[in-house]
Amino acid sequence: LQAEALQLLCLTASSGVPLFSRGSSKQLPFSIIGSLNGVHMFGAGHGAQLSSCVTERGSRVVWRVFQESLMLIAVSGGGGSAISELQLRRLLENVWNCMVMVLGQDELANIRNVERLKREVRSCYRLIDMLLERVNDDQGMMGHLTQCADCMPLSNSGMVQETLDSFTQAADSEFGCLVVHGRVALATEKWWSRLAPQEVVVLLALVQSLSGTSSCDYPVFLPQGSPTVAIRLLCFQLLPGVQICVLCGPKPSLYQAGKELLSRFWSPLLETLRNCLEQTDRSILPPSVNLRWDVQALLLINRESRRAITVCPRVRGGASANAAPLLSSARRLELLSHFYTFAVTRYFTLEDVSPASPASEPVPEDFSQGFTHVPVQCYLVTDECKCYGLQSPQHQLYLLTDLSVPTFALRSVATQTLSAITVATGF
């Protein structure tokens, strides 16, 4: 098996009929696809569940069967940057959730006509391709890996929050959110409390795929909340990069919501929304948060609400003249995702956000099972940066710093950074 890049395969679980293959332009030969399906079926026939493997050439393969109906297989090449098993497992779950969101669970779990399903699943290709690109992208969003909603805390958000709540209520709904460049800036209380984290992740992916359209009325199935009954997703572009989204029933019509409600509630706030866009151009964090100049990147997760903030500074503020240049954004985000995977599969608590089978997540490293306590901090020193992880009952912080930061000072830098963000944003 020699995969040049990340590839995703979808087959029927019972007969192994290929439904689609996405990813690398160089598709795997049919014989390889048949072998990947056959070895999994052979194991299942002998009471063994094959979930993943690594080939001699460094390629990684992960299998996952959903609803005893469809099998998804992720194959990553061995060259270049390695993709972890956790990343591939999260990819498979996100792809399944996207398929459920677009087609509904009944259509996927009860296959009546394979050829018809092949045609219908094409409507998911754009979302699936977006998820494949996000595994190694440099857009600064990691919800596809953390299964937490990518967020952008706003400063002075009181008026915008009130407007969002009023607009959502006028649209006969309790589920609304404001999306800025693919991140949730604000949302209603029910949006956070009633929607599962994975649902928010795939909804954000769908909203981003619809960016550029002034308005849309899209039927969606919620993978956990409403997998068999479609509801309406109304999206309106307030400004380029700013969208308002509402989940609602039959009313209001797209025309009514766009012509009557949109201008009434949001026209007075256009200047405020432009300031939100300026904030994303500078940093994801509000101007009141001043990070140390030697912080290269960070990922902050609120474990209670399943929200996350990813920060990758574009410039150094207050750096000394002899400070080393910043690594590229793509490289810093890659290192951050690797450190997150390293920490949650060895030390920290990997929250089970999936309602699927227990085999949905990789088994922790053997040595961690012998701990008599739950680790709350860890660090890693590499040739490019130093990494520090901190876990509390409410938060997880993953921090990348310059090599110039003394190792003994990493804990202090991490706690100061966590305090600075949470105090200023209430995150």
Side-chain angles (χ1 to χ4, degrees):
L1 179 62
Q2 299 184 50
E4 294 183 354
L6 179 61
Q7 295 197 36
L8 178 75
L9 310 173
C10 179
L11 306 86
T12 58
S14 57
S15 57
V17 177
L19 296 181
F20 66 81
S21 174
R22 307 300 295 174
S24 173
S25 57
K26 184 178 180 180
Q27 302 295 330
L28 291 174
F30 183 78
S31 58
I32 296 285
I33 297 176
S35 299
L36 291 174
N37 178 61
V39 70
H40 186 275
M41 293 182 65
F42 179 82
H46 289 75
Q49 181 179 3
L50 178 61
S51 60
S52 67
C53 76
V54 180
T55 69
E56 293 180 353
R57 295 181 180 271
S59 296
R60 188 182 297 275
V61 186
V62 173
W63 293 261
R64 179 81 182 276
V65 176
F66 293 88
Q67 295 289 320
E68 300 182 356
S69 172
L70 295 182
M71 177 189 296
L72 292 178
I73 306 174
V75 182
S76 68
S81 59
I83 300 177
S84 68
E85 181 179 341
L86 177 63
Q87 287 176 296
L88 295 181
R89 290 192 175 280
R90 292 284 168 86
L91 170 65
L92 295 186
E93 182 158 342
N94 289 331
V95 168
W96 168 258
N97 285 333
C98 281
M99 293 169 66
V100 172
M101 183 175 64
V102 175
L103 300 177
Q105 185 171 286
D106 284 345
E107 191 72 23
L108 300 173
N110 305 300
I111 303 175
R112 290 172 283 273
N113 187 309
V114 173
E115 294 304 319
R116 176 186 171 188
L117 181 58
K118 282 184 180 180
R119 293 191 298 270
E120 292 182 342
V121 81
R122 291 173 184 169
S123 59
C124 305
Y125 283 177
R126 185 175 181 181
L127 271 176
I128 292 172
D129 292 344
M130 180 180 293
L131 291 172
L132 287 167
E133 292 170 0
R134 284 189 175 183
V135 173
N136 280 323
D137 72 3
D138 60 349
Q139 299 302 309
M141 291 183 285
M142 297 179 63
H144 60 280
L145 173 61
T146 63
Q147 293 288 43
C148 300
D150 289 299
C151 296
M152 188 193 80
L154 298 182
S155 55
N156 303 320
S157 60
M159 183 179 299
V160 183
Q161 181 71 60
E162 291 177 6
T163 303
L164 173 63
D165 293 338
S166 300
F167 174 80
T168 304
Q169 186 177 5
D172 198 20
S173 174
E174 296 178 305
F175 301 86
C177 77
L178 181 69
V179 179
V180 179
H181 286 318
R183 298 174 176 84
V184 178
L186 293 170
T188 60
E189 189 276 332
K190 287 291 180 66
W191 180 280
W192 291 126
S193 63
R194 298 284 293 276
L195 296 182
Q198 308 96 311
E199 292 174 336
V200 178
V201 169
V202 294
L203 281 171
L204 286 177
L206 176 60
V207 170
Q208 191 169 17
S209 72
L210 299 172
S211 62
T213 58
S214 59
S215 63
C216 69
D217 187 342
Y218 202 99
V220 297
F221 299 84
L222 297 179
Q224 294 186 35
S226 183
T228 58
V229 178
I231 57 179
R232 297 169 65 211
L233 172 67
L234 300 183
C235 287
F236 301 95
Q237 180 174 276
L238 304 178
L239 292 170
V242 181
Q243 294 156 290
I244 180 71
C245 308
V246 175
L247 293 172
C248 62
K251 295 180 179 180
S253 67
L254 181 66
Y255 177 84
Q256 179 186 3
K259 294 298 182 180
E260 299 178 12
L261 303 181
L262 206 63
S263 59
R264 188 208 314 174
F265 288 98
W266 292 105
S267 293
L269 293 181
L270 289 181
E271 191 60 36
T272 302
L273 296 177
R274 289 190 180 94
N275 294 334
C276 296
L277 284 173
E278 292 178 2
Q279 178 180 326
T280 61
D281 292 337
R282 296 189 303 267
S283 171
I284 299 303
L285 296 173
S288 58
V289 180
N290 294 315
L291 296 178
R292 290 172 53 109
W293 67 267
D294 45 16
V295 171
Q296 294 233 12
L298 67 88
L299 167 64
L300 176 60
I301 295 175
N302 187 309
R303 300 174 64 190
E304 296 178 352
S305 62
R306 301 300 299 169
R307 309 180 207 180
I309 302 172
T310 305
V311 181
C312 192
R314 293 179 175 85
V315 296
R316 292 182 183 275
S320 58
N322 58 350
L326 280 170
L327 299 172
S328 68
S329 296
R331 181 55 179 163
R332 282 180 284 158
L333 291 170
E334 182 183 1
L335 291 170
L336 190 60
S337 66
H338 287 332
F339 180 57
Y340 169 82
T341 302
F342 171 84
V344 298
T345 55
R346 289 168 173 81
Y347 302 112
F348 291 169
T349 302
L350 186 62
E351 282 85 0
D352 184 11
V353 295
S354 168
S357 62
S360 62
E361 300 291 359
V363 177
E365 297 290 328
D366 291 339
F367 71 85
S368 67
Q369 300 181 17
F371 290 162
T372 58
H373 66 286
V374 177
V376 294
Q377 299 180 54
C378 66
Y379 74 94
L380 188 66
V381 178
T382 73
D383 293 336
E384 298 173 278
C385 65
K386 293 183 179 180
C387 312
Y388 197 86
L390 187 154
Q391 177 172 249
S392 70
Q394 186 176 1
H395 295 100
Q396 285 182 350
L397 174 66
Y398 304 88
L399 192 68
L400 264 60
T401 72
D402 279 8
L403 289 172
S404 60
V405 178
T407 303
F408 66 82
L410 288 173
R411 177 180 181 179
S412 176
V413 172
T415 54
Q416 290 173 10
T417 302
L418 176 61
S419 177
I421 297 175
T422 55
V423 169
T425 65
F427 186 77

